[in-house]
Amino acid sequence: MAHPGEHHPAFEEYCECIFELREDHLDVIQARVAERLDVSRPSVSEMIKRMETEGLIRLRGTRIVLTPEGEKLAESVVRKHRTAERFLTDILGLPWALAHHEACKWEHVLSPDVEQAITRLLGNPTTCPHGNPIPGSNYLEEPTHPLVDVRVGSAFTVSRIPEELEYAPGMLEFLESAQLTPGVTGTVTASAADGSLTVRLHETEINITSFASSRILVRA
């Protein structure tokens, strides 16, 4: 049971989902929430009604918008999740996919004191392992564009792996094994009409699907 000033984990999960869909520049509608959380549309509809009553969201036509209280809750959960991911990968050495799975649990139980202690231990990180900003940190936005926009023969540096890719089955495992991680520099060596690419990283050629190439954010 949630204590005064706290919210049920289900509310936290939904606020986090709405925040991340918006961050990925996706329309925040019930169908997308259902897809991201892998729940039925009737379940989402019922939860949205409850969240509206709780003052966490409001509806603008079919779009779902966080209220200031919902925004505050979402930022808290996202911050805990991304901080936990950093600890699990940087300190414990867990692979990306497992760290993401475990962080989904930690985000609901980390107390402010423990969160602050982990942040100090990590040296006040500004992003999760995938390059996504930690709310409340000193993250500085930088110009980026999708990998698919890089011309053949041009170099790029990976900046961010958006949340949408974290939820795609097998994607985190692929990206980590290919070392297609934030800060890594590569070159596009071939492109196809459907948006799929071949890139060279560490002298190795890697094929990237159009789904991934249109979402991975890079800088020149």
Side-chain angles (χ1 to χ4, degrees), residues 103-210:
C104 287
K105 305 173 187 177
W106 286 37
E107 67 190 28
H108 301 298
V109 298
L110 278 182
S111 69
D113 288 340
V114 172
E115 179 193 345
Q116 291 170 16
I118 291 175
T119 298
R120 288 195 302 271
L121 175 65
L122 293 170
N124 300 305
T126 60
T127 71
C128 74
H130 320 113
N132 296 307
I134 294 175
S137 70
N138 293 320
Y139 176 79
L140 296 177
E141 188 76 36
E142 58 183 0
T144 60
H145 52 85
L147 177 57
V148 72
D149 292 344
V150 179
R151 295 180 179 180
V152 173
S154 297
F156 63 87
T157 299
V158 178
S159 180
R160 289 175 58 182
I161 308 297
E163 289 287 341
E164 188 176 9
L165 291 178
E166 294 189 41
Y167 287 90
M171 186 59 69
L172 285 181
E173 292 90 338
F174 165 73
L175 293 172
E176 187 173 29
S177 65
Q179 299 183 55
L180 193 64
T181 57
V184 166
T185 297
T187 303
V188 175
T189 57
S191 64
D194 67 354
S196 58
L197 301 176
T198 301
V199 303
R200 182 181 296 113
L201 297 173
H202 311 294
E203 304 305 319
T204 301
E205 297 281 333
I206 300 168
N207 296 318
I208 303 175
T209 65
S210 58

Side-chain angles (χ1 to χ4, degrees), residues 8-19:
H8 191 280
F11 288 152
E12 295 182 344
E13 199 80 31
Y14 273 73
C15 283
E16 177 187 29
C17 176
I18 294 166
F19 180 98

Side-chain angles (χ1 to χ4, degrees), residues 86-97:
R86 279 245 85 107
F87 176 80
L88 293 165
T89 56
D90 296 7
I91 304 299
L92 300 188
L94 295 186
W96 272 9

